[in-house]
Structure formats: C-alpha cells, structure tokens
Amino acid sequence: MYRCRQVVSQCSSTIKSNLGHGRQRYAGESTTKRFGSDHGYSKTPAIKPPTLNEMPTPKGSWATEHSRQQSKYNMHLAAGLGFTAFTLFVGYQSGSFYLNYGPDVKNTKVSVLSHEQVRERAAAAAASAVVAEESDPEVLAAEVEETAPVEAVVVEDASPEAAEEVAPPVVEEVTPVAVPDAEAVAEPSRDQTGPSDQSEVAPSVVAIVGDLPVHIPYLLIGAGTSSFAAFRAIKSRDPKAKVLVIGEENHLPYMRPPLSKELWFSDDPEVSNKLKFKQWNGKERSLFFEQDEFYCSPVELVAKENGGVSVVRGHRVVKLDIVGRKAELDDGRTITYDKCLIATGGKPKSLPSLSSAPENVQDHVTLFRNIDDFRRLESISRQVKSITIIGGGFLGSELACALGRRAKTSGLEVLQVFPEDGNMGKVLPKYLSQWTTEKVKGEGVQVLPRTHVEGATMDDDKVVLTLQDGQKIKTDHVVVAVGLDANTDLAVASGLEIDPTFGGYRVNAELEARSNVWVAGDAACFYDIKLGRRRVEHHDHAVVSGRLAGENMTGAGKPYWHQSMFWSDLGPHVGYEAIGIVDSSLETMAVFAKSTAADTPKAVVEATGEGVRSETENAATEQSSMKESNKLHAPVQGEHYGKGIVFYTRNDVVVGMVLWNVFNKIPVARRILKEGLTTDKLTEAAKLFDLHE
C-alpha cells in the first residue's frame, strides 16, 4: 500500500511539472496567447505513464502471491458450495420440495386391455346404468359417480412399495348417460407443487365418452387430403401430438384424383374392392395415403404416451363453440379441443332440372365425388348400355374419356352434354378447347356441346333428358359433374364468415378463420397477395394449405404464399398442367411445338415414378436450356397442338398459365407469376420452357 502511494505521488509531481501549475505551456510554446480561436488550451496535456520499475511489486516471489490469491478463491468457493448444500437440505427436510424417483419399472407389471374388452366393459356399464335408471331414476347420477371406473389401461404393480410410490394411470369409460364436464379432466392445479407423502398421489384420469375422448389437443374436421397433410405437419413439429380426425365418409383418408383417372384404366375386375391402381408407368399403388396400421382407435389414442392419429368415420361435426373450444357431433356428443382445423372440402353441384326431378329419376343419377360414387358407377358401367355425362370441365371430360375407352370393348354408349363450345371451354382458349373435343370424340364419346338439360323423366326404366333445343336423349344412367360448392354447413351454427363472392370460409393470410380455428382445402377462401382473394379446388392446394395450417396450429405463424397447380389427363397420351387464374374469358397468348413420345402423361410418370404430378412438379427445378422457341402467334386452322404454353393475361400482366403436354416446368411458371411478367416479355419467357428439346 505504501509503495502504491509513492507511485501516485511521483505521477502527480510529474503532471504538475508538465503543466506548470496549470498555466505553463509546453516547451517552445508561447505563453502570451490568452484569447482567440487558439487560446493555448486546445491541446490535451501529455501525461507521462509510469514505467515497470515504478509499478507495485508483491512481497516475495510472484508464485507465492499467486498461491495466496488462489487459496482465497478456493475458500470462497467452498463456502458457497456449503451454503448451497445447507439450503437444499433445509428445503428438503421442511417439505418445500421433494424428489420424485419415479416408479419401480423392473418390478412393475403392465396389463393392457384390448379395444374389444374395453367395449365389452363399457357395454356392461351402460347396461347396468339403464337398469338403475329404470329402477330409480332419481339416484342415477349419484350411482354413476359412485360406481368403479371401467378400466381401459391399468398398470398393476407387483410390489406394495411400488404401489405406494405412484398410482396407476386409469382410462375411465363414461357412459353417455352422464357425460363429464371438460373441466373434470383438466390438468391438476399448478399450486399443488407436490405432496410430501408419495403414497397419496391421485391416479391420473382421462375420460372418454363412448369411444371418443372428452378432450383432444388437435381436432381435424374432415378426413380428406387437407386433413392428412395437416396431421403429418402437426406430428413433424410435435412428435407426441394426439390428433383426432372426424370424417363423414366411412373411409380412411385417400387421394381423389385417381377416382377419375387411373382407376378406370385398370384391368382388374376387383379394382372397386381393392382400390389399387396402376400408374401410367405400370407401378401399382393404393388409393389410401396410409394403411390401417398407421392409425389407432380413439380409446387407444388417449393412453398413447407418444401420441398418434385416430380417425372417427361416419360422423360429422354440426357445431363449433369457438369461445368454449367445443365441437358437437351429429349424435349429440361433444369434444373439447385446443386447436381445430376445418377441412370439409366441397359438395358436388346438381342441376335444378335433376334435383327437382321425381325420386325414381334421381335413383339413376350419380353426383360423382367419392369412393362410393366410383364403386357405384364402375358397377353400373358394366351392366347398362348407355351413360350420359353432364358437364364438360375437368371431371366430366376425364370420366368421358375413361368410359369411352371402356366402351370400345364393351359396347357401352357414352354421351357428354355441356353448354360450352368445347371440352374444358371455361378454362382453355376456344381453339384449344375445340381441338380437345376432337380428341375426346376419338376416345369413343358422343359429344353434344352448346346445350344443356332442361328436364328429366322416366320412360321404360330409362331416363329421358330433354335438352335446350327440344332434343330428347334416352339413357340408362346420368353422371353429373358440374363443379363443387364449398361445404360450409358449420358456418351458421358456429358464427363463421362466408365469402359472398367465392364461397367458402374467409380466412386470413395464415388460414385462420377465428381464434384457434383454421380452414384448409376447398372450403378455404384465402387472400392471394398476387391474384387477390380466391378459392381453389385442386389437389395441390389441398396438400399445401393443409400442411401450412397444420404447421400454424403448432405455432409456426406462416402466411400462405403458395401458387398451387392442378393437372388433368385425358388418358395416358394427352394432359396438361395449370397454375394461377386460367379463365377462357381472359386474353391469351400461346406458343406450340410438335410433341414427341416423351411429351405425354404416361412418359412423365414412367420417368419420375410418381403419378400425383403435384409431387413431381414441386420437386422439379427451374433449369432451362434457353433454346429458341416458336414466336407467339394467333392460332392457325389445322395447327397441331402437340405441346405448348398458354399465357393468360389481365391488364397486360400474366396471371395464369397452361402447360399443354409440358411437364416438370411448373416452378418456371410459378416464378413468372411471382415476378408479374408483362406481355411484351412473353417471347423471351417462352424460351424458358424448352419446347424444342
């Protein structure tokens, strides 16, 4: 300490000598400058730093000093550890916290009841409840509460000591006579940090109503493509998630495109039972996304530690309590949820002339949409002599080509009626629509364009269709394929907003309709940042919107920016893919080239091994050889439209594209839409598609 004071004194003396008592200037500097811009104080006085010889040194060697300091630090550390240990000991003895060693797994015996045993016990409990109700209804509620719970999954400990450590989890089957309130199965209060006596731990109970849980973290309404994509996204972000899917159909989630495409080209007479089809490359594939083993029953779901997915078939949700997070089913049961997705899809439209027809006429009409419709029509097509398809869009044209090809070998007469000038006349330009109609006729279909059905009656077990021009058509069966309406049955009862222009539930950029309620697929009316508010009814949109909704249900908070695509095949040799707004009422510009054997739907499936082309297109790249392409020009009479690109423009900006027999180029088209390409640059844009490869 004395040495430090000595050094400070020396430094102070040096400073004073340099400053000259605060007034003296540096050597050679004038001392007469007192005023003006440079008055002599603008420079900082230099301070002489102390040398090493002037620094304080410890008594003894540096090693001795280091050892002394290290001993002091070690003493502080030991004191801190001792104080921490004393605090933990006092807290443990006073019961402020306790140690949970968990169950004795080695001495624990697990006994699991099967799903059938659970149902049997539930039925027995329900029967006893009915007997009790008949004998004394006034004490029914009290008796239900006093009866022992029906065990679905019980953990029995081999030793009494293990039983005292932790109580077994029990899945309680509650009969529909007394449905427990959702609060009864809520988590324990957080202020109960842990009892001091482990033998008093209460058993954890998860209640179910019939064969459904009372509460589920993730509830998906609808068992279609969007729900499948959603629960896969949920499980990828939350591996232990418990997801319950409620679907109106009696089938597990499946893909719809093959119902009007590949399934009709199968040679297997049992195709309607097996529901397996061969892709254009000959590879067999199931219609269902996953096998039965992938899913579990609702009763098993509540007891699964690592979560899972369960599908309730043959039921629908009729009402949502948005604030209370409760869903009501068509049989009166209710389920509470944390997050909910509405993916109810669409309902096929009918014609006023058919919906108002007598019941015997409607028995001969199929509104084609699902597996049951396919099975019915496939069976009918093998028994009748004539089928009439009403509608010239994607679905109607695909079914016409499929049935027409079958007609070549079976003698079946296939007719197609629609009001447009040609097949897919609402989408394709007139010249390409008419060219497509000739292709459909080549498949053995009698096409009747520019007319519509005004009435339908029965005559000699045949449907008589009266057309606009007075012509009458006799046919054995009628297939209606005139579009979809969004399934918004939940809207009125649940207080959800419907878009007045496009239909469907109005959602924000994250596909959320209300708090903790999302909508995906055909039923969602979303805002497209490039093309405005839209509602899309295609497979790719169902997949991507369902996946995004599932991610957002787990907290991702992502906006929907995807430009979805769709595709249609008129058999294995003619097909197209489209993106954006494709409307024949818009101005179009196109370029075409001669097609090759590689420019067919069959060829692209053989090359990629994937029949769902939204998958292959999303995996494609934007690579291009930039080869010279034909210049854009007006259509020429008799031109062969082997393959080409059709640009749809609005206000001189590209808003949609059709890739005619051009495959794996959707990423290029998506980039053109994103950049808002103008019509004066379309010639250069056409080069990106390599039409002359």
Side-chain angles (χ1 to χ4, degrees), residues 139-377:
V139 297
L140 174 61
E143 290 180 355
V144 172
E145 293 178 356
E146 294 174 359
T147 54
V150 179
E151 297 175 348
V153 179
V154 181
V155 180
E156 299 178 353
D157 294 326
S159 61
E161 293 78 11
E164 293 180 357
E165 291 179 358
V166 60
V170 178
V171 177
E172 180 179 0
E173 180 89 10
V174 183
T175 62
V177 178
V179 179
D181 190 87
E183 298 178 355
V185 294
E187 296 180 358
S189 176
R190 294 187 178 182
D191 59 333
Q192 299 176 358
T193 56
S196 57
D197 186 2
Q198 295 182 12
S199 63
E200 297 178 0
V201 177
S204 57
V205 178
V206 181
I208 61 175
V209 181
D211 58 351
L212 294 181
V214 169
H215 179 81
I216 198 72
Y218 297 98
L219 176 65
L220 310 185
I221 303 174
T225 301
S226 291
S227 285
F228 174 77
F231 70 63
R232 292 194 66 173
I234 291 171
K235 292 292 289 182
S236 67
R237 290 176 55 88
D238 185 2
K240 294 187 177 182
K242 296 180 180 180
V243 184
L244 182 67
V245 183
I246 300 179
E248 192 170 353
E249 295 186 47
N250 291 314
H251 307 286
L252 295 173
Y254 62 91
M255 61 185 80
R256 295 190 187 275
L259 293 177
S260 60
K261 297 180 177 69
E262 294 93 338
L263 278 174
W264 289 98
F265 292 86
S266 174
D267 296 328
D268 187 356
E270 296 295 322
V271 63
S272 60
N273 295 324
K274 297 179 180 178
L275 294 177
K276 293 184 178 181
F277 61 93
K278 288 186 178 180
Q279 301 180 128
W280 300 134
N281 62 351
K283 181 180 178 181
E284 190 174 65
R285 183 172 182 176
S286 173
L287 190 69
F288 297 96
F289 290 114
E290 297 286 354
Q291 300 301 318
D292 294 2
E293 295 78 13
F294 176 83
Y295 307 95
C296 64
S297 71
V299 175
E300 297 171 338
L301 180 63
V302 297
K304 273 184 168 290
E305 180 180 356
N306 294 323
V309 180
S310 178
V311 180
V312 178
R313 293 175 277 185
H315 289 284
R316 59 189 179 91
V317 175
V318 296
K319 182 180 179 181
L320 285 179
D321 179 357
I322 305 296
V323 178
R325 299 188 190 181
K326 184 182 296 184
E328 180 180 341
L329 275 66
D330 52 1
D331 58 2
R333 290 178 292 180
T334 59
I335 302 174
T336 59
Y337 60 85
D338 294 331
K339 309 290 183 181
C340 177
L341 172 69
I342 300 176
T344 49
K347 298 183 293 185
K349 295 180 182 178
S350 186
L351 297 176
S353 56
L354 293 177
S355 58
S356 61
E359 185 176 351
N360 58 348
V361 173
Q362 298 186 25
D363 292 340
H364 292 75
V365 176
T366 296
L367 303 182
F368 195 88
R369 175 63 175 166
N370 53 39
I371 287 179
D372 296 335
D373 299 329
F374 166 76
R375 285 174 167 168
R376 182 189 183 200
L377 185 58

Side-chain angles (χ1 to χ4, degrees), residues 589-593 621-632 643-647 657 659 662 664-665 668-669 671-672 677-693:
M589 302 180 71
V591 57
F592 291 89
T621 64
E622 297 184 10
Q623 295 180 353
S624 174
S625 63
M626 294 295 291
K627 291 184 179 180
E628 184 64 30
S629 175
N630 289 349
K631 293 183 178 181
L632 299 174
K643 64 178 180 178
I645 310 296
V646 181
F647 298 94
M657 302 175 65
L659 282 60
V662 176
N664 294 330
K665 293 295 183 181
V668 178
R671 180 160 62 92
I672 291 175
L677 204 68
T678 54
T679 54
D680 58 334
K681 299 178 181 179
L682 292 186
T683 300
E684 293 299 318
K687 298 178 182 179
L688 299 173
F689 294 93
D690 300 332
L691 296 182
H692 292 279
E693 277 192 337

